[in-house]
Amino acid sequence: MKQLIIEGGHELSGTIRISGAKNCAVALIPAAILANEKVTLCNVPNITDIDVLVSILEEMGVTVDRATGSLVIDPTTLTNTNIRPELSDKMRASYYFLGALLGKFKHSEMDFPGGCSIGKRPINLHLMGFEALGATVTNEGDKYVINSEYLHGADIEFNIASVGATINIMLAACLADGITHINNAAKEPEIVAVAEMLNKMGAKITGQGTSVITIEGVQELHGCNVEVIPDRIEAGTYAVAGALCGNMLKIDNIVKDHLGAFVEKLDEIGVFYDLGDDYIYLSKGENYKAVDVKTEVYPGFVTDLQQVFNVLLTQCEGVSHVNETIYENRFMHVPYLNKLGANITVDGRIATITGPTKLKGTEVVATDLRAGAAMVLAGLVADGTTVINNAEHVLRGYEVIVEKLTNVGAHIEIKEVENK
Ligand code: EPU
């Protein structure tokens, strides 16, 4: 087991450069297999979720050249479409191979994907979309087997604007015959990035970033060179660190427009910041005010920042309510924040945070990726030493987090220890 050990109370100043977005890169990599030539991806974060996807590609026979920050993927050497459950179980985004393989070979199969345990996270909308495109979906044990003799365009309506289902249908539909409309499509920046990559490969996709996406099927897709967009969740996480412990902490390489609802909440709380198109400076302020937060699909307040934001709310005067509308079970960090000294109660999907409370270092657990990030932030602001067990979760999504925080003045180290 990996442990993160943080001595809290140190001021953060200097610059943290934001890496390529995990939730974008994990979709662009499976998308690459749709091409009939090499695809080059730049600004790929060095995180363990990417290691898993590279292993899946390599087991498929795809040649992958990995250098610092870049991946050159040659799908022409693909010989095998099997994905071992041990790999698909390691992350949620393995499900993008279902859409990409279906688009390319009219057949895909995989066990139910893994990922953070933050709710049931069914994939019924993905499967419904594949069926609308002319595929049949059967279950063999835990495995989904998807086949199509003739993949064709369809009018698809989602009852939830799902990120994963929107991307998976784009992947499957761009080599289908005819025109597909995705109604109530998700609008996240990652969706736009995937559509733009597919268009660079020769796909005909319009409407990305709006709630109706149109995909006109083409015969084949060619190679391309694409840069992964900056990670808005990593940016938000370090921005909260700045609001908690910063002294003109600069978060660089951000996209201002991707952080809209998050920055509005910083304003409401009374955080001092200076926001430019691609950077934000933050300093720790005083007299922060409690606010209510409701997670929503983009461009609303993103669920992936809910847990780290709670740490900031523990330092605000008054009572904050946090309504988690996307996942049923995204408050697993709360008992550990309380162990650190917070005053939070949870009733269903609403957490009530009363502050400010002084946090004091102790031993806690990273129950999932963003819960782990919340523990890191709590450790930075707490008095004394915080030990975070199961830190592997954090490394799935935050590139060189120890180095990035150390460079701006944090006292943080990572250790390998025997499992308890
Ligand atoms: N949903 C269904 N049926 C489906 C698909 C989704 O009911 O077929 C439900 C989910 O259970 C959830 C909601 O719809 O309650 C939203 O799910 P969505 O499909 O949008 O999420 P996802 O594709 O599984 C991605 C990110 C998540 C992020 C969400 C929302 C990746 C690999 N994961 O998940 O990221 O929270 O979109 O923005 O891109 C994270 O990075 O920590 C993370 C969990």
Side-chain angles (χ1 to χ4, degrees), residues 123-146:
I123 59 166
N124 58 307
L125 298 174
H126 305 231
L127 303 178
M128 178 273 278
F130 295 149
E131 285 176 336
L133 295 174
T136 53
V137 180
T138 49
N139 265 109
E140 290 176 11
D142 289 336
K143 185 178 275 187
Y144 295 95
V145 180
I146 305 170

Side-chain angles (χ1 to χ4, degrees), residues 368-381:
D368 56 75
L369 166 59
R370 308 299 172 190
M375 292 304 121
V376 171
L377 298 185
L380 292 174
V381 75

Side-chain angles (χ1 to χ4, degrees), residues 116-394:
C116 291
S117 304
I118 49 183
K120 288 198 230 46
R121 309 185 82 184
I123 59 166
N124 58 307
L125 298 174
H126 305 231
L127 303 178
M128 178 273 278
F130 295 149
E131 285 176 336
L133 295 174
T136 53
V137 180
T138 49
N139 265 109
E140 290 176 11
D142 289 336
K143 185 178 275 187
Y144 295 95
V145 180
I146 305 170
N147 277 306
S148 172
E149 303 220 324
Y150 173 54
L151 212 56
H152 54 74
D155 246 335
I156 297 171
E157 172 96 34
F158 290 142
N159 62 345
I160 298 171
S162 155
V163 172
T166 301
I167 291 178
N168 240 338
I169 299 312
M170 288 198 297
L171 296 176
C174 58
L175 287 177
D177 189 18
I179 294 180
T180 297
H181 296 291
I182 307 176
N183 301 297
N184 195 23
K187 294 187 270 200
E188 274 69 2
E190 294 74 26
I191 310 270
V192 176
V194 174
E196 284 176 357
M197 167 167 161
L198 292 169
N199 283 344
K200 272 194 167 182
M201 290 159 68
K204 291 188 176 163
I205 304 178
T206 53
Q208 59 272 21
T210 76
S211 54
V212 182
I213 296 179
T214 302
I215 305 139
E216 187 183 333
V218 296
Q219 291 292 318
E220 58 176 6
L221 295 171
H222 50 77
C224 69
N225 199 322
V226 167
E227 181 155 336
V228 178
I229 59 172
D231 195 315
R232 62 199 168 103
I233 311 304
E234 190 197 18
T237 303
Y238 290 128
V240 172
L244 289 166
C245 322
N247 178 4
M248 292 299 279
L249 179 69
K250 183 179 186 189
I251 319 293
D252 205 6
N253 192 36
I254 67 166
V255 180
K256 177 184 177 185
D257 290 347
H258 294 174
L259 291 173
F262 168 79
V263 169
E264 279 170 25
K265 286 294 162 190
L266 293 182
D267 267 333
E268 265 186 65
I269 286 177
V271 173
F272 172 78
Y273 68 84
D274 170 19
L275 177 63
D277 285 341
D278 62 355
Y279 66 85
I280 182 168
Y281 281 94
L282 301 107
S283 293
K284 173 183 158 65
E286 281 170 10
N287 305 322
Y288 288 158
K289 290 189 296 288
V291 297
D292 290 343
V293 176
K294 182 177 175 190
T295 63
E296 285 170 307
V297 295
Y298 190 82
F301 191 97
V302 59
T303 171
D304 299 338
L305 285 173
Q306 180 260 109
Q307 293 150 295
V308 297
F309 208 73
N310 288 349
V311 183
L312 182 55
L313 296 178
T314 69
Q315 303 308 303
C316 295
E317 173 81 38
V319 179
S320 301
H321 299 100
V322 178
N323 185 352
E324 171 55 62
T325 71
I326 308 292
Y327 295 109
E328 315 89 74
N329 194 19
R330 214 171 197 181
F331 287 127
M332 301 226 290
H333 58 296
V334 166
Y336 295 105
L337 281 184
N338 283 342
K339 192 176 174 199
L340 284 156
N343 179 357
I344 310 178
T345 55
V346 175
D347 183 7
R349 291 192 176 208
I350 296 184
T352 302
I353 304 175
T354 306
T357 47
K358 233 179 166 14
L359 303 184
K360 190 167 176 327
T362 184
E363 188 166 343
V364 293
V365 177
T367 53
D368 56 75
L369 166 59
R370 308 299 172 190
M375 292 304 121
V376 171
L377 298 185
L380 292 174
V381 75
D383 283 342
T385 302
T386 300
V387 176
I388 306 171
N389 293 326
N390 291 352
E392 286 83 355
H393 281 298
V394 180

